Amino acid sequence: MTLTASELSAAVPVRRSRGRPRKTADERDDGNRRQDLLKAAARLFRIKGFAGTSTRDIATAAGMQAGSPFYHFENKEALLAAVMREGMQRAVVRQKAALEATTSAAAASHTTPSARQLLRTLVRNQFDVLLGPDSDFIPVMLYEWRYLSEEQRGEISSLKADYEAAWVPVLHTLHQEGALRGSLPISRLMIFGALNWSVQWYDPARAASGGASLDDLADNALLLFLHEPTSP
Amino acid sequence: MTLTASELSAAVPVRRSRGRPRKTADERDDGNRRQDLLKAAARLFRIKGFAGTSTRDIATAAGMQAGSPFYHFENKEALLAAVMREGMQRAVVRQKAALEATTSAAAASHTTPSARQLLRTLVRNQFDVLLGPDSDFIPVMLYEWRYLSEEQRGEISSLKADYEAAWVPVLHTLHQEGALRGSLPISRLMIFGALNWSVQWYDPARAASGGASLDDLADNALLLFLHEPTSP
DNA sequence: CCTACCGATCGGTAGG
DNA sequence: CCTACCGATCGGTAGG
């Protein structure tokens, strides 16, 4: 026995609005279904890894049939790359907004944010991107990098460079002030490691019941990394 | 056309000594073959991930036929757990030896190593375990954890607890001295993150041609994390 | 996007 | 440990 399309949409929980007429080619809501796929893929790739997730898992999670993801993406790798691209684009946008908010706040009192304040903003935003709501995309980028093809890496790398570029002048200033010790490039990588590793141990659910908040993490990171400025 | 066993050993590069008589059941060198499997598995799991590596890949890398790994290990997960167990056991042994060497060296000049010296030893050993020769095992443990079953996790976790136990009093002392800032458990996790993340970016090959050595990394880590002691 | 399908590969096993 | 094999699953596609 087989099910008709309408019987299927009664049996399977889908978010589609009820009674919508069969779509013509011109009104395909590619964007929505594509977004559903990306979200499902990000979540599964994060939990089970890229190689450990089947395209069927993803299709099911997005309420589709087994072959349907390939209507939206050429192959499984392209889906992974899209997850990473989407995650990095959002991260770059959010980082820019966070920095602007910090600068505006300082401007209101006719000052300019200190390098310390800017670092705090960057760190806090990083924790949000890694651990906050909708935070599956960036962990996938960090931990599933090896499954990208050479060309795909190039594309995502340039987004990553955008993101990291904002850190450079801030860390440079702190290094010159003596607040950041060690070799600048090495210390930078170690700081990123300290932040990115939080994906492995931080449990947002437990935070609600008395654990550390993302603000606490950011405060702790600055305390740990930044030294007293050398007196002038 | 099929090849006989002896034609195969001529065609395929194997390390077996030539002309050795066919083994009887009593002289199976299980230990050696098992070790070969573990080493091959560790290397492949690190490079391609657990789910991205087939048991055939591992068998081939160890010079065996497709089904042969299952003579040594019940299934693929058991092989992964064995890689991690082996890695952690070695890491614990090496850490103990490194700490004893540090204590002996201090004893030779009738002193006791400072918490700073002990941390430097722990950090330097950690980099060696992560990045030094034969360093595939621990990265696999760090990054393929999710593929372990519940019982397997328990077993490896207790080894991990052994390893981390050595850090606790050292970090505690430094925290009391004011050299380590922030919440002790959070700062500890951030430090581990900074070290463990090096697996993602450190290239031992480039170190030979002018890059940072493992000693440089350890020095840098201490500079970054440890503050001037508060004057008494 | 679904239906129906394919070839390839995978983890694992029986028997020697 | 090898030989020979199996059932299941996987990424992907043709046609509508």
Side-chain angles (χ1 to χ4, degrees):
Chain A
M1 169 203 172
T2 49
L3 296 175
T4 65
S6 59
E7 281 168 333
L8 259 180
S9 46
V12 177
V14 272
R15 276 154 249 148
R16 243 177 267 153
S17 62
R18 290 153 286 167
R20 189 201 292 179
R22 183 172 281 276
K23 300 167 242 176
T24 71
D26 282 338
E27 59 182 18
R28 269 196 218 121
D29 47 354
D30 284 347
N32 285 329
R33 304 304 285 139
R34 199 187 128 99
Q35 284 301 318
D36 290 346
L37 269 177
L38 281 178
K39 198 165 173 178
R43 177 166 182 74
L44 289 169
F45 287 160
R46 176 179 192 168
I47 296 175
K48 319 207 303 173
F50 174 74
T53 303
S54 71
T55 56
R56 280 165 169 80
D57 289 340
I58 299 168
T60 301
M64 292 178 185
Q65 296 303 314
S68 301
F70 301 101
Y71 171 76
H72 296 278
F73 298 92
E74 197 183 339
N75 52 39
K76 195 185 174 188
E77 281 74 26
L79 181 46
L80 176 65
V83 166
M84 296 186 181
R85 198 182 311 119
E86 175 86 8
M88 275 313 303
Q89 280 168 350
R90 281 193 220 167
V92 167
V93 166
R94 288 164 68 169
Q95 177 169 270
K96 199 165 293 182
L99 287 174
E100 277 164 13
T102 301
T103 304
S104 299
S109 34
H110 304 286
T111 61
T112 261
S114 66
R116 239 188 166 76
Q117 286 172 319
L118 290 172
L119 182 63
R120 154 81 211 203
T121 297
L122 290 171
V123 167
R124 177 54 235 261
N125 181 68
Q126 173 97 334
F127 280 126
D128 206 52
V129 160
L130 290 169
L131 310 168
D134 245 351
S135 60
D136 293 322
F137 293 73
I138 297 295
V140 168
M141 199 207 57
L142 293 176
Y143 291 96
E144 308 298 321
W145 187 256
R146 62 173 146 224
Y147 298 106
L148 245 38
S149 73
E150 213 45 67
E151 313 102 87
Q152 289 170 330
R153 287 185 197 195
E155 194 197 339
I156 316 275
S157 284
S158 92
L159 280 168
K160 250 172 85 170
D162 278 1
Y163 184 84
E164 291 178 16
W167 295 66
V168 172
V170 175
L171 294 177
H172 182 75
T173 301
L174 289 165
H175 193 257
Q176 286 197 315
E177 291 173 2
L180 190 62
R181 307 279 172 91
S183 143
L184 189 46
I186 294 182
S187 286
R188 188 177 59 84
L189 288 163
M190 288 186 176
I191 290 173
F192 278 130
L195 306 185
N196 291 343
W197 193 251
S198 66
V199 168
Q200 308 276 356
W201 55 265
Y202 186 76
D203 179 4
R206 204 184 312 158
S209 53
S213 67
L214 299 190
D215 274 318
D216 294 336
L217 291 192
D219 290 339
N220 201 100
L222 289 232
L223 273 174
L224 178 60
F225 298 135
L226 294 190
H227 298 244
E228 307 306 324
T230 52
S231 46
Chain B
M1 168 203 174
T2 49
L3 295 175
T4 66
S6 58
E7 280 168 332
L8 260 182
S9 46
V12 177
V14 271
R15 276 154 250 149
R16 242 176 270 157
S17 62
R18 290 154 286 167
R20 189 202 292 180
R22 181 174 285 275
K23 300 167 245 176
T24 70
D26 281 339
E27 60 181 21
R28 268 196 221 124
D29 45 357
D30 283 347
N32 285 330
R33 305 303 286 140
R34 198 188 130 99
Q35 283 301 319
D36 291 345
L37 269 176
L38 281 178
K39 199 166 172 177
R43 179 167 180 73
L44 289 169
F45 287 160
R46 178 180 191 167
I47 297 174
K48 320 206 303 170
F50 173 75
T53 302
S54 71
T55 55
R56 280 164 167 81
D57 289 341
I58 299 168
T60 301
M64 293 178 186
Q65 297 302 316
S68 300
F70 300 101
Y71 170 76
H72 295 278
F73 297 94
E74 196 183 340
N75 53 38
K76 195 185 175 189
E77 280 74 24
L79 181 47
L80 176 65
V83 165
M84 296 188 180
R85 198 180 312 119
E86 175 86 8
M88 274 314 303
Q89 281 167 348
R90 282 194 219 167
V92 167
V93 167
R94 288 164 68 170
Q95 178 169 270
K96 200 164 293 183
L99 286 174
E100 278 164 12
T102 301
T103 303
S104 300
S109 35
H110 305 286
T111 62
T112 261
S114 66
R116 240 186 166 77
Q117 285 172 321
L118 290 172
L119 182 64
R120 155 81 212 203
T121 297
L122 289 171
V123 167
R124 177 54 236 260
N125 180 69
Q126 173 98 334
F127 279 127
D128 206 54
V129 159
L130 289 169
L131 310 168
D134 245 351
S135 60
D136 293 321
F137 293 73
I138 297 296
V140 168
M141 198 208 56
L142 293 176
Y143 290 97
E144 308 298 321
W145 186 257
R146 62 170 146 229
Y147 297 106
L148 245 39
S149 73
E150 214 46 66
E151 312 102 86
Q152 290 170 329
R153 286 186 197 192
E155 193 196 339
I156 316 275
S157 284
S158 90
L159 280 167
K160 250 172 84 171
D162 278 0
Y163 183 85
E164 289 179 19
W167 295 66
V168 172
V170 175
L171 294 178
H172 182 74
T173 301
L174 289 165
H175 193 256
Q176 285 197 316
E177 290 173 2
L180 189 64
R181 307 280 172 92
S183 141
L184 189 45
I186 294 182
S187 286
R188 187 176 60 83
L189 288 163
M190 288 187 175
I191 289 173
F192 278 130
L195 307 184
N196 291 342
W197 193 250
S198 65
V199 168
Q200 308 275 358
W201 55 265
Y202 186 75
D203 179 4
R206 203 184 311 159
S209 54
S213 67
L214 299 190
D215 274 318
D216 293 337
L217 292 193
D219 290 339
N220 200 102
L222 289 229
L223 273 174
L224 178 60
F225 299 135
L226 294 190
H227 298 245
E228 307 306 325
T230 51
S231 46

